[in-house]
Amino acid sequence: MQLVAVTLVAVAGWVTVSALLPPPVDPGVATVVAVHDVALGSTLTAADVRVERRQADERPAGALDDVRAGVGQVVSGPVLAGEIITSARFRGATQLAGLAPGFVAVSLPVSDGVLLGTLRPADIVSVLAAGTGQPLASAARVLTTELDASGVLTAGAGGQGHLVVAVTPDEARALAVAMGAAGAPGGFLMAVRG
């Protein structure tokens, strides 16, 4: 009987102490984040990123866990300080990942900086010929927009910015014909699709 009483007291003491101890701290997962703002089109260096520990549920799909995976990559849009770096933030063949086979990326001159500044990767737009309104691509997926870090139109020749979109090869040919030798001096019109 004494043995049972001692055992019950020991179990009660263990339960009490266990209830008072804080739960173990989850150390998190190694996650690459931006040290400071990085402008669109910049090539990441080791000084631009660092590894922090983040909870698994805070990490978006494609989050990098090693700085070496990001160094040397060109970012496809402005990156903010503290932002988690994902593989989707880089220019290159990965931008077409997830799309049906056969899509190609094309760069289009766009003179409407206001609209260009509102577009984000993954937006769907219809591309129309300036002047005629002829539809050239009905559901082009935005890959990148060329704006500077402050969101201002990056002016190229003729004060145009550029929009990189994924289109079918047939749409790419139609866009090339519409662009012509002069390079579409009026740019293209974009109609954002909902």
Side-chain angles (χ1 to χ4, degrees), residues 33-39 44-50 78-83 85:
V33 299
V35 173
H36 51 257
D37 291 353
V38 179
L44 282 184
T45 68
D48 296 324
V49 290
R50 70 173 171 244
V79 177
L80 301 178
E83 182 177 330
I85 305 297

Side-chain angles (χ1 to χ4, degrees), residues 14-37:
W14 178 78
V15 168
T16 302
V17 170
S18 295
L20 296 176
L21 291 176
V25 176
D26 182 355
V29 181
T31 305
V32 177
V33 299
V35 173
H36 51 257
D37 291 353

Side-chain angles (χ1 to χ4, degrees), residues 13-191:
W14 178 78
V15 168
T16 302
V17 170
S18 295
L20 296 176
L21 291 176
V25 176
D26 182 355
V29 181
T31 305
V32 177
V33 299
V35 173
H36 51 257
D37 291 353
V38 179
L40 174 148
S42 298
T43 301
L44 282 184
T45 68
D48 296 324
V49 290
R50 70 173 171 244
V51 174
E52 293 181 356
R53 309 286 305 174
R54 297 288 177 94
Q55 300 302 310
D57 61 354
E58 295 176 340
R59 290 170 42 96
L64 303 184
D65 58 8
D66 187 343
V67 168
R68 292 173 294 185
V71 170
Q73 299 280 357
V74 178
V75 295
S76 62
V79 177
L80 301 178
E83 182 177 330
I84 294 174
I85 305 297
T86 66
S87 56
R89 295 298 267 142
F90 305 130
R91 288 187 179 179
T94 57
Q95 289 183 321
L96 295 173
L99 297 179
F103 275 84
V104 297
V106 296
S107 175
L108 304 174
V110 179
S111 56
D112 184 351
V114 174
L115 179 63
L116 192 61
T118 66
L119 295 175
R120 297 290 175 259
D123 284 347
I124 304 296
V125 297
S126 294
V127 183
L128 309 172
T132 66
Q134 177 186 355
L136 301 171
S138 60
R141 181 177 299 271
V142 174
L143 299 178
T144 63
T145 59
E146 294 192 5
L147 298 169
D148 69 18
S150 65
V152 175
L153 177 67
T154 302
Q160 294 176 333
H162 286 269
L163 178 69
V164 180
V165 295
V167 295
T168 67
D170 287 341
E171 289 170 331
R173 281 188 284 281
L175 289 164
V177 169
M179 199 172 308
F188 292 93
L189 300 176
M190 302 295 146

